[in-house]
Amino acid sequence: MALGVGAAALYYGARGEAGMGHAAAQNSAGQAEEMAMAGEQVVDPARAGVRVGFNAGPTAPAPGQPVRLAYNVSDAETGRAITDLPVDHERPMHLILVSRDLGRFQHIHPQLGADGAYAVTAEFPRAGQYTLYAEFVRDGRKVLDRRELTIGGTDGPVANLAPDLSAKTVGGITVALAAPPAVKAGEESELTFTLTRDGEPVRDLRPYLGAAAHVAVVSEQGGEFAHTHGEAAGAGHEQEGPTMGHEHAATTGLGPEIGFHHTFPAHGLYKVWGQFQTSDGEVITADFVVRAE
Ligand SMILES: [Cu+2]
């Protein structure tokens, strides 16, 4: 099976959203938006009737140099600039940057500027090629724009992954990932993160951008991308405390288990990044490699 940016590659794990065990469920505008998204597939800009112009400044950035990444979204038919992208998971645009070897990952958020572009400044610490996955919503559909950016004039190494489900410790928090013994390509799998601090379960995670976890998945071959969301395992129990008001329940008390559903589209290795927000507001990212058979 070819691993281009086809429909399977753009599968969006909407089941993770259906659990609604996260903050956006408490927010009426966010809820309506998310419900509309449930079950939707991700489309490329052409299929959504939009054109995406991209500009990096400087155009040939060096490692460590601040680079302004600017997206001009316009209506493919009229050419009119689109500057009213709806907020989805608390931002109008999400941008995930991944190095060619899948060793580096950033999740950042372009904001609308006075020039009508959605822009953000990033730094790429190492030379090499990076893939930029920008996501936004247009007419109720999730749109994915994918492009490459070369830093320091060199492509850098390709990915050479090995399966890795070992627990990672980031910022004092240990993140483990449990996957089924055999993850089957083309079938939905349930995976579960468990977060501990000094061996004790972490129960005070905050939602991060309207979800218990943000999960990015990129295939070793072809850089197929998916962005999905985790939900609290045993959804809802974090809201039961009688002393917790709605506001409070929506912003505290996630963990230690956060699950997500994903269908790996083809057999092979996939890098999986899980992002969580601690009670201090720090965002931690833990990465794993899952093999789909
Ligand atoms: Cu984001």
Side-chain angles (χ1 to χ4, degrees):
M1 177 179 172
L3 288 174
V5 182
L10 299 176
Y11 171 85
Y12 196 85
R15 289 283 282 273
E17 314 233 357
M20 303 305 285
H22 58 68
Q26 312 295 323
N27 168 318
S28 56
Q31 182 173 24
E33 208 161 78
E34 293 221 357
M35 296 304 275
M37 292 305 303
E40 295 267 334
Q41 283 208 337
V42 177
V43 298
D44 63 25
R47 274 192 61 197
V50 299
R51 218 168 12 230
V52 180
F54 174 76
N55 207 58
T59 48
Q65 184 177 19
V67 190
R68 183 175 185 265
L69 308 171
Y71 290 85
N72 285 284
V73 184
S74 58
D75 187 297
E77 214 161 287
T78 65
R80 202 174 309 151
I82 297 168
T83 55
D84 60 351
L85 294 176
V87 170
D88 177 52
H89 281 91
E90 303 183 5
R91 299 287 186 276
M93 186 179 280
H94 295 254
L95 175 58
I96 287 176
L97 315 174
V98 178
S99 62
R100 190 179 187 219
D101 66 358
L102 305 184
R104 291 182 178 271
F105 171 92
Q106 292 181 59
H107 176 182
I108 55 179
H109 300 95
Q111 298 285 353
L112 183 65
D115 61 354
Y118 289 86
V120 65
T121 298
E123 272 181 41
F124 301 83
R126 295 254 178 87
Q129 192 182 63
Y130 289 75
T131 306
L132 282 51
Y133 302 96
E135 288 182 303
F136 55 89
V137 172
R138 174 67 173 168
D139 292 339
R141 291 202 286 188
K142 185 84 81 181
V143 183
L144 174 64
D145 174 85
R146 173 184 168 166
R147 56 190 71 236
E148 319 292 333
L149 181 66
T150 299
I151 305 294
T154 174
D155 285 347
V158 296
N160 183 16
L161 302 181
D164 175 19
L165 293 179
S166 65
K168 306 296 182 313
T169 299
V170 189
I173 291 182
T174 300
V175 184
L177 177 63
V183 172
K184 295 267 200 307
E187 290 179 18
E188 187 180 82
S189 296
E190 182 174 9
L191 297 93
T192 306
F193 297 106
T194 302
L195 284 77
T196 54
R197 191 189 281 112
D198 302 326
E200 297 295 320
V202 174
R203 301 185 192 280
D204 59 357
L205 294 171
R206 288 193 212 167
Y208 172 49
L209 296 170
H214 280 250
V215 183
V217 181
V218 176
S219 67
E220 180 182 43
Q221 300 292 323
E224 290 180 80
F225 172 84
H227 177 182
T228 185
H229 301 100
E231 58 187 283
H237 72 251
E238 74 276 13
Q239 293 167 27
E240 283 170 8
T243 58
M244 283 179 148
H246 278 257
E247 286 275 294
H248 201 62
T251 54
T252 64
L254 295 167
E257 292 192 343
I258 293 175
F260 70 98
H261 296 87
H262 187 65
T263 301
F264 296 89
H267 94 95
L269 295 170
Y270 293 81
K271 191 84 179 245
V272 174
W273 292 269
Q275 294 195 287
F276 315 89
Q277 183 164 220
T278 69
S279 55
D280 306 333
E282 189 194 348
V283 175
I284 60 172
T285 304
D287 61 292
F288 303 89
V289 177
V290 174
R291 179 197 293 281
E293 298 175 356

Coordinates of all heavy atoms in Angstrom, one line a residue, residues 91 93-95 107-109 208-209 214 227, ligand 1:
R91 N -7.7 27.3 19.7 CA -6.8 28.0 18.8 C -7.4 27.9 17.4 O -8.0 26.9 17.0 CB -5.4 27.5 18.8 CG -4.6 27.5 20.1 CD -4.2 28.9 20.5 NE -3.4 28.9 21.6 CZ -3.8 28.9 22.9 NH1 -5.1 28.9 23.1 NH2 -3.0 28.9 23.9
M93 N -5.6 27.9 14.7 CA -4.7 27.1 13.9 C -3.7 26.3 14.8 O -3.2 26.9 15.8 CB -3.9 27.9 12.9 CG -3.1 27.1 11.9 SD -2.2 28.2 10.7 CE -3.5 28.5 9.5
H94 N -3.5 25.1 14.5 CA -2.5 24.3 15.2 C -1.4 23.9 14.3 O -1.7 23.5 13.1 CB -3.1 23.0 15.8 CG -4.2 23.3 16.9 ND1 -4.0 23.1 18.2 CD2 -5.4 23.8 16.7 CE1 -5.1 23.5 18.9 NE2 -6.0 23.9 18.0
L95 N -0.2 24.0 14.7 CA 1.0 23.7 13.8 C 1.9 22.8 14.5 O 2.4 23.1 15.6 CB 1.7 25.0 13.4 CG 3.0 24.9 12.6 CD1 2.7 24.2 11.3 CD2 3.6 26.3 12.4
H107 N 4.7 21.7 19.0 CA 3.3 22.0 18.7 C 3.0 23.4 19.1 O 3.1 23.8 20.3 CB 2.5 21.0 19.6 CG 1.0 21.2 19.6 ND1 0.1 20.5 20.3 CD2 0.2 22.0 18.9 CE1 -1.1 20.8 20.1 NE2 -1.1 21.8 19.2
I108 N 2.8 24.3 18.1 CA 2.7 25.7 18.3 C 1.5 26.3 17.6 O 0.8 25.5 16.9 CB 4.0 26.5 17.9 CG1 4.4 26.1 16.4 CG2 5.2 26.1 18.8 CD1 5.6 26.8 15.9
H109 N 1.2 27.6 17.8 CA -0.1 28.1 17.3 C 0.1 29.4 16.6 O 0.2 30.5 17.3 CB -1.0 28.2 18.5 CG -1.2 26.8 19.1 ND1 -0.5 26.3 20.2 CD2 -2.0 25.8 18.7 CE1 -0.9 25.1 20.4 NE2 -1.8 24.7 19.6
Y208 N -5.3 20.2 28.4 CA -4.4 21.0 27.6 C -5.1 21.3 26.3 O -5.5 20.4 25.6 CB -3.1 20.2 27.3 CG -2.2 20.9 26.3 CD1 -1.8 22.2 26.5 CD2 -1.6 20.1 25.3 CE1 -1.0 22.8 25.5 CE2 -0.8 20.7 24.4 CZ -0.5 22.1 24.5 OH 0.4 22.7 23.6
L209 N -5.3 22.6 26.1 CA -6.0 23.0 24.9 C -7.3 22.2 24.7 O -7.6 21.7 23.6 CB -5.1 22.9 23.6 CG -3.9 23.8 23.7 CD1 -3.0 23.5 22.5 CD2 -4.3 25.3 23.6
H214 N -3.2 15.8 24.1 CA -3.0 15.9 22.6 C -2.1 14.8 22.2 O -1.0 14.6 22.8 CB -2.6 17.3 22.2 CG -3.6 18.3 22.2 ND1 -4.2 18.9 21.1 CD2 -4.4 18.8 23.2 CE1 -5.1 19.7 21.4 NE2 -5.3 19.7 22.7
H227 N -3.6 13.7 14.3 CA -3.6 14.5 15.6 C -4.9 14.1 16.2 O -6.0 14.3 15.7 CB -3.5 16.0 15.3 CG -3.6 16.8 16.5 ND1 -3.6 18.2 16.4 CD2 -3.7 16.6 17.8 CE1 -3.7 18.7 17.6 NE2 -3.7 17.8 18.4
Ligands
CU1 CU -2.5 22.8 19.0

